[in-house]
Amino acid sequence: MTESYQITTLVLGFLGCIGIISSFIAQLHNIYISKDASGTSWGLIVLQILASICLGISAGINVWVDGISNLPFLVTNVLVILLFIIMCYMKCTFHNPT
């Protein structure tokens, strides 16, 4: 019984991961297509990177201590960090000093 719950938790966790990552990829795509990152604030980028680092470290420790059931949270936060680093690059590249 416990094993089926662990599989269910992993599947739901990775579905949530796909949803979160997809939403940020959609935002990056919009920035890339429009060549305008003015709709994204530095506060959002910096705070999201810091939050994802903290949550990623926490998830990594939980994977180490409790096992694989925390893996979706680790993967999500690592990918979010990477996406926001890309967003930071785009914010600098598509800066519109008007």
Side-chain angles (χ1 to χ4, degrees):
M1 192 71 147
T2 305
E3 188 175 319
S4 65
Y5 285 129
Q6 188 173 18
I7 292 170
T8 302
T9 299
L10 285 172
V11 169
L12 291 173
F14 279 114
L15 286 174
C17 174
I18 291 168
I20 289 172
I21 298 305
S22 296
S23 67
F24 290 130
I25 288 175
Q27 180 66 27
L28 286 174
H29 180 263
N30 186 35
I31 292 170
Y32 180 75
I33 293 298
S34 68
K35 305 289 190 235
D36 180 21
S38 63
T40 306
S41 71
W42 281 111
L44 170 76
I45 293 171
V46 171
L47 291 174
Q48 189 64 47
I49 288 173
L50 291 174
S52 293
I53 288 171
C54 292
L55 291 170
I57 291 170
S58 174
I61 292 169
N62 287 334
V63 167
W64 180 266
V65 172
D66 294 331
I68 197 168
S69 64
N70 292 294
L71 187 62
F73 304 111
L74 178 61
V75 171
T76 301
N77 285 295
V78 168
L79 292 174
V80 167
I81 291 167
L82 294 173
L83 290 173
F84 272 90
I85 289 171
I86 293 169
M87 193 176 291
C88 183
Y89 171 78
M90 287 181 158
K91 180 87 171 156
C92 291
T93 302
F94 301 134
H95 179 64
N96 219 353
T98 54

